[in-house]
Amino acid sequence: MIRWRDPRVPPAAVAGFGAAGLAAALADGASAAVAGAVAGVAAAAVAVVSLIMAVLRIADRREARAWRWLAGGAATWLAGAGVRPIADGTPFAVSFADLMVLAGTAMLAIGTGLCAVRPAYGRASLRDASDAYVSAASIFLVGWVTLLGPAYHDSGGPAVFAVTLASPVLCLAFACAVGPAVLPARRSAGPVGLAALGLLAALTATETAGALTRMTGDDPSPFGLWLAPVAFLLFAAVPWCRRTARAPDASDLGDDPGDDPGEDASVDAGAGSGPGAQAASSLIAAVPLILVLVATVALVLRLLGGGVAGPPAVPALVAASVVAVLVVRLFVMLADAGRMRRLMDLGERQLQDLAESTGDVVLLCDHAGVVREIGEGVEVTYGYRPEDMVGGSIFDYIHPEDVPGIQMALRAMSLADEQAEGGGTCMIGCRVRAADGTWRPTESVATRHSRGENLLLVTTRDVSGQEALRNQVAHLTFHDGVTGLPNRAYFEERTREVLARPGVSSVAVVFLDLDGFTAVNDSVGHASGDYLLGQAARRLRAAVRADDTLARWGGDEFAVLLEVAGDAQTAVDLAERLVRAVSAEPFRVADRDIAMTASVGVAFADEEVSSADLIRNADVAMARAKDIGGPRVEVFAAHMHADVVRRLELAADLQRALLEDQFAIEYQPMVDLATSRVTAVEALVRWWRDGAFVPPERFLGPAEDTGLIVPLGEWILRRACREVAAWRASSWDIGLSLNLSARQIMAPRFVETVESALAESGLPPSALTLEVIEEMLVEDAEETLTRLSELRELGVRLAIDDFGTGYASLALLRQLPVDMIKVDPSFVSGLGADETLTLLTRTIVRLGHDLGLIVVAEGIERPEQLDLLREMGCTRGQGFLVARPMDARGIDDLMPAGLHSAV
């Protein structure tokens, strides 16, 4: 700024600074000082208008506040500069115009400081204040040595000199005060803050140039005249050269209110990453020290060149104050460093205590593995005293096989330290020898020590417990908990591995199933059943070879993998040994002896078979042996698989037939042989699949195996009861006879099903006779007799079908209240042709009469058979000679014929 009291500038030339005044000044030959002053005021006016318009466009409240301070400061400075010509006529050394100029500069400084994105607080603010003072004092010293000191003698005395320099010194103080908050890249507001700081620097230079002009009386410097106008014009352009700030949104949360997101992102991102940004930040932080160095050099050169002009006390005091500030700053830094060191030591101790409290061992070692320090936890964990290990090498305690890998990891961390890249973190797993000589699995984490010194901080944890747990989990995953044998998953994986090797033709799989094991569980309980499985596993393990794999497949099934079977006979011999091992002697379970047999299947591998197919083939062969009846060994043949597929297809067709009502019932009459009267009918199921008749022997077996016999039997029971009940409603005293299978009797709620069918149809229980074969009374005898007794309590009659061919004893006839026995057709077919069969048939008929039972002869096909049965006193019979099976309509046609058969 140029003081208008310059005697060479006519006051009338600048009064009002209107167009007429400017023209008059130019007409009167105004100097360059007038033009520079007018240009400065005009530029300031442009800046004020530009800033006000920018404030109206900014949505961010904090940024708008900074712009308002900048606009207010420019306007205040403009007002002060505008009234200076008038104020210069006052008798005061400092006019109110000078105060307005200083106030405007202070407002500009406040606005500049508000442009900082993250103003510093606490210790950072003290650091910034010291940096500001050191910078301002250093710049003042340079100015004193080069300009201000020489001008002192022309100033007119100390008071005038001090008053004249008050304005530039205060401007310098304002600029240096906000510089630390704006210059560092981590807090910079970008172009806005830097432009405002530049404006303050320009005003400081202008004020300094004006003060020198007033003190020396020399012509104003063009640099001093035009610096402020140029700075104001550049600052006026800043709002229009940057992107308009948007309103803050959720993405700005965490920043100070009012931050411009666009600027913050660019500045902060650049400041926080990359070596260039770090170098720039370090250079800016070193600016105060650089200025001190420059001031020191200038002062020394001036002293060497003849001394410093002006009062020597001024530079001496300023230099002393700078030194004092730097000393205080150094003490503060040392105190902070000491405090940080104590905190680091405390943190290390706490970390070590925490690690040792969890059972970890903490040690310090160098990159060569030499132990420098080690925690006391090493004695608890590994049995070594810490003082015995310090100075030794960690490799003395590490398993030799693990040493090379750890040495390589330590060399890599050492190389990273030498290249100033930081060692990072290294995870180490190894085995450590304890004092008792055992090798303990450990997991360690090595990191570069925070205090440097090329040391590594290693935290070691004994993971023996975890390793044992992992081994136990792995064992449980692939082994059976009941027998201790490998389980199904292990057997399948092992089979895949063996078949992947060459020479698979010598591989075989043997499947074994314990016959009747379900009855053991039902009779003595599952716990005793598991105990029996354990005994069976021990016997089988003793029977197989050492290189064979024995596994429990599941339930009561076992599998053996013969990795080198040799010829086929070797595998068959092993299978027979397994059968003998199971059945050699009874198993002692629950204080009783239980005899067991086994069904075994054998399958051989070939070049094209997969592991799954090989196992399946052995399972199919075992199922075949079980169907035929054990104890037995079956070798897989291709037709077995075809039979299994057909049975599965038949089972699916059966289920669909049941849903689509493809079944029908035929009734075979049962007559009184003495009167030829039809007394009952036996319900027989028939299946018509796609119009073709399927014999019962082809589908009843699969239906029993798959469990479909239960819903099929219930359907037959309900349909037959309804139809027979309808015939009885027509005054025909006729009964119904039905065959039962083992699955039906053992099905849940079977007794309730029979009771429900009788209630729905209205058929009297005494009219229903349920037939069972003798084998069913032997297998699961206790449970079967219980169910049959419950049926008998309903009033239902019971009959033994195919009597004389099974294993029933007379004791069972005594336990079970049977109403009827049916002589097997194999006896009836030999009547009159085979004396032995005739005698046996006569014996069975006599036995039935003696027990008070109804005797029914089945399979009567020839007249002589009928005559002999009548002669024996057999009461009832059925067969093709008596009447063939017929549908319900045939039975209806039989009723009007006099309710008698053709016999």
Side-chain angles (χ1 to χ4, degrees):
M1 294 180 293
I2 304 302
R3 297 291 298 239
W4 303 120
R5 63 168 64 99
D6 192 329
R8 291 168 293 179
V9 181
V14 293
F17 295 99
L22 179 59
L26 294 176
D28 293 341
S31 65
V34 177
V38 174
V41 174
V46 172
V48 170
V49 174
S50 176
L51 291 172
I52 293 174
M53 294 181 64
V55 169
L56 298 177
R57 297 178 56 194
I58 294 175
D60 192 311
R61 289 181 297 176
R62 183 178 181 277
E63 188 177 6
R65 183 175 59 175
W67 284 90
R68 284 194 294 269
W69 276 99
L70 292 173
T76 304
W77 187 92
L78 174 61
V83 299
R84 256 181 174 169
I86 302 174
D88 284 341
T90 63
F92 302 102
V94 178
S95 66
F96 67 91
D98 295 330
L99 296 178
M100 292 181 66
V101 170
L102 290 176
T105 306
M107 294 174 67
L108 287 172
I110 294 174
T112 304
L114 290 175
C115 288
V117 176
R118 294 181 180 89
Y121 300 98
R123 290 185 177 271
S125 63
L126 295 177
R127 183 175 62 249
D128 289 348
S130 64
D131 287 344
Y133 180 80
V134 169
S135 299
S138 299
I139 295 173
F140 177 82
L141 284 175
V142 173
W144 182 273
V145 170
T146 57
L147 298 174
L148 301 180
Y152 175 77
H153 298 290
D154 300 330
S155 62
V160 176
F161 182 78
V163 172
T164 305
L165 284 183
S167 178
V169 169
L170 290 175
C171 288
L172 175 62
F174 293 149
C176 292
V178 298
V182 176
L183 275 180
R186 62 186 174 88
R187 298 199 299 266
S188 177
V192 179
L194 295 178
L197 184 61
L199 178 60
L200 288 175
L203 294 180
T204 302
T206 300
E207 285 293 306
T208 303
L212 290 174
T213 299
R214 291 193 300 276
M215 286 187 294
T216 61
D218 296 334
D219 292 333
S221 171
F223 175 79
L225 291 174
W226 295 99
L227 184 59
V230 172
F232 269 114
L233 289 177
L234 292 176
F235 190 66
V238 170
W240 312 102
C241 296
R242 63 186 294 278
R243 181 167 57 87
T244 302
R246 60 175 173 82
D249 53 20
S251 65
D252 298 322
L253 294 177
D255 286 341
D256 294 334
D259 292 351
D260 177 60
E263 286 186 58
D264 295 353
S266 63
V267 174
D268 290 347
S273 62
Q278 294 177 1
S281 180
S282 300
L283 180 60
I284 293 173
V287 166
L289 297 179
I290 294 174
L291 292 176
V292 171
L293 179 61
V294 172
T296 303
V297 171
L299 189 60
V300 171
L301 291 177
R302 177 60 67 181
L303 290 174
L304 295 176
V308 180
V314 174
L317 291 176
V318 174
S321 65
V322 170
V323 173
V325 170
L326 291 178
V327 169
V328 172
R329 177 77 174 272
L330 178 61
F331 276 111
V332 171
M333 291 177 61
L334 291 176
D336 289 342
R339 185 174 59 87
M340 293 301 297
R341 174 69 66 178
R342 290 191 298 273
L343 290 177
M344 290 176 59
D345 293 340
L346 177 61
E348 289 180 3
R349 288 195 300 271
Q350 290 178 342
L351 178 61
Q352 182 173 348
D353 294 341
L354 177 61
E356 292 183 350
S357 67
T358 61
D360 293 351
V361 178
V362 181
L363 60 95
L364 284 177
C365 68
D366 57 21
H367 291 94
V370 178
V371 179
R372 301 293 183 85
E373 297 179 19
I374 191 167
E376 296 179 356
V378 68
E379 186 170 3
V380 177
T381 305
Y382 296 104
Y384 298 111
R385 292 189 301 174
E387 56 270 19
D388 294 339
M389 297 189 66
V390 174
S393 175
I394 61 174
F395 301 116
D396 296 337
Y397 306 92
I398 296 176
H399 196 283
E401 296 178 358
D402 301 333
V403 168
I406 298 177
Q407 289 176 335
M408 184 180 301
L410 295 182
R411 283 196 298 268
M413 296 184 70
S414 176
L415 181 61
D417 284 346
E418 292 175 0
Q419 296 176 352
E421 296 179 355
T425 300
C426 180
M427 305 293 294
I428 300 174
C430 64
R431 289 161 288 180
V432 174
R433 186 184 68 248
D436 58 4
T438 60
W439 292 102
R440 308 278 187 86
T442 63
E443 292 180 353
S444 303
V445 179
T447 58
R448 185 176 182 272
H449 194 240
S450 58
R451 290 181 298 189
E453 303 173 3
N454 290 327
L455 295 180
L456 298 176
L457 178 65
V458 182
T459 303
T460 300
R461 171 171 295 181
D462 182 6
V463 293
S464 301
Q466 295 89 320
E467 189 73 16
L469 181 60
R470 281 195 293 267
N471 294 335
Q472 183 179 2
V473 170
H475 180 82
L476 294 176
T477 302
F478 293 103
H479 287 76
D480 174 55
V482 175
T483 62
L485 297 176
N487 59 12
R488 176 174 182 168
Y490 179 88
F491 189 84
E492 290 176 337
E493 181 62 27
R494 183 61 182 166
T495 305
R496 281 193 292 269
E497 293 177 359
V498 171
L499 291 183
R501 302 197 305 242
V504 297
S505 59
S506 63
V507 178
V509 171
V510 178
F511 254 52
L512 180 144
D513 179 87
L514 298 179
D515 301 325
F517 179 75
T518 303
V520 176
N521 273 341
D522 294 340
S523 60
V524 297
H526 288 275
S528 298
D530 290 345
Y531 179 69
L532 188 150
L533 289 175
Q535 295 184 61
R538 287 190 289 273
R539 293 189 187 183
L540 296 177
R541 189 186 293 112
V544 301
R545 302 175 303 182
D547 55 351
D548 297 335
T549 302
L550 171 66
R552 182 190 178 194
W553 185 254
D556 59 343
E557 295 181 358
F558 297 85
V560 182
L561 174 64
L562 285 73
E563 300 183 17
V564 183
D567 56 7
Q569 190 59 40
T570 302
V572 174
D573 291 344
L574 174 63
E576 291 176 349
R577 286 203 308 272
L578 297 177
V579 173
R580 290 194 297 271
V582 172
S583 57
E585 59 181 288
F587 293 90
R588 186 67 178 174
V589 178
D591 297 330
R592 68 179 68 179
D593 292 331
I594 299 179
M596 300 292 296
T597 60
S599 300
V600 181
V602 182
F604 297 94
D606 55 43
E607 295 294 338
E608 298 180 356
V609 71
S610 65
S611 60
D613 291 340
L614 179 60
I615 294 172
R616 181 206 63 196
N617 294 343
D619 192 13
V620 169
M622 182 266 294
R624 173 75 173 178
K626 199 171 187 65
D627 289 342
I628 295 176
R632 186 179 183 88
V633 176
E634 283 288 326
V635 178
F636 175 78
H639 69 84
M640 293 182 182
H641 181 246
D643 291 343
V644 172
V645 172
R646 281 195 295 270
R647 289 172 71 89
L648 292 176
E649 293 176 348
L650 183 62
D653 292 342
L654 278 171
Q655 191 168 15
R656 184 168 56 254
L658 190 61
L659 295 175
E660 297 177 358
D661 200 18
Q662 296 180 8
F663 292 101
I665 298 179
E666 289 187 350
Y667 299 94
Q668 185 171 22
M670 184 184 305
V671 301
D672 187 328
L673 296 183
T675 63
S676 298
R677 184 175 61 87
V678 177
T679 59
V681 290
E682 181 178 358
L684 306 173
V685 64
R686 298 292 183 258
W687 183 18
W688 297 90
R689 181 172 61 176
D690 299 329
F693 176 73
V694 181
E697 58 270 16
R698 284 186 55 189
F699 68 84
L700 288 180
E704 178 76 11
D705 294 339
T706 59
L708 288 174
I709 193 67
V710 175
L712 178 60
E714 183 177 349
W715 176 83
I716 296 171
L717 173 66
R718 295 184 183 278
R719 173 69 65 85
C721 285
R722 287 198 301 269
E723 292 182 343
V724 172
W727 292 328
R728 291 178 63 88
S730 302
S731 300
W732 187 12
D733 186 13
I734 188 173
L736 172 64
S737 181
L738 283 175
N739 287 290
L740 295 181
S741 70
R743 283 276 187 126
Q744 287 178 277
I745 295 177
M746 302 307 297
R749 301 185 59 81
F750 175 70
V751 177
E752 290 82 352
T753 300
V754 174
E755 185 177 11
S756 173
L758 293 173
E760 291 176 0
S761 63
L763 184 69
S766 59
L768 176 62
T769 301
L770 299 178
E771 304 177 7
V772 295
I773 60 176
E774 292 179 81
E775 287 81 354
M776 292 170 54
L777 301 178
V778 178
E779 297 179 2
D780 300 331
E782 184 176 351
E783 184 68 21
T784 302
L785 292 177
T786 300
R787 292 289 180 92
L788 294 177
S789 299
E790 293 176 356
L791 291 171
R792 192 68 178 80
E793 292 175 359
L794 293 178
V796 175
R797 297 187 176 189
L798 300 178
I800 298 179
D801 195 15
D802 298 336
F803 187 82
T805 60
Y807 307 98
S809 65
L810 296 180
L812 288 175
L813 293 179
R814 180 181 59 83
Q815 296 177 20
L816 184 66
V818 177
D819 300 282
M820 180 187 300
I821 57 175
K822 301 183 73 173
V823 182
D824 187 81
S826 62
F827 293 102
V828 177
S829 64
L831 291 178
D834 188 318
E835 294 183 359
T836 302
L837 291 178
T838 301
L839 178 61
L840 290 174
T841 303
R842 188 183 301 277
T843 302
I844 292 173
V845 171
R846 184 181 300 114
L847 175 64
H849 287 165
D850 292 343
L851 295 176
L853 304 177
I854 300 174
V855 180
V856 181
E858 294 184 288
I860 303 174
E861 297 181 352
R862 299 191 308 274
E864 62 270 21
Q865 296 172 347
L866 179 61
D867 294 338
L868 283 173
L869 289 170
R870 283 175 173 170
E871 183 267 332
M872 294 177 185
C874 182
T875 55
R876 296 181 186 177
Q878 64 181 114
F880 286 174
L881 180 65
V882 178
R884 290 180 175 273
M886 60 191 71
D887 57 15
R889 183 176 300 176
I891 299 297
D892 290 337
D893 294 340
L894 189 63
M895 290 175 58
L899 307 181
H900 290 76
S901 69
V903 179

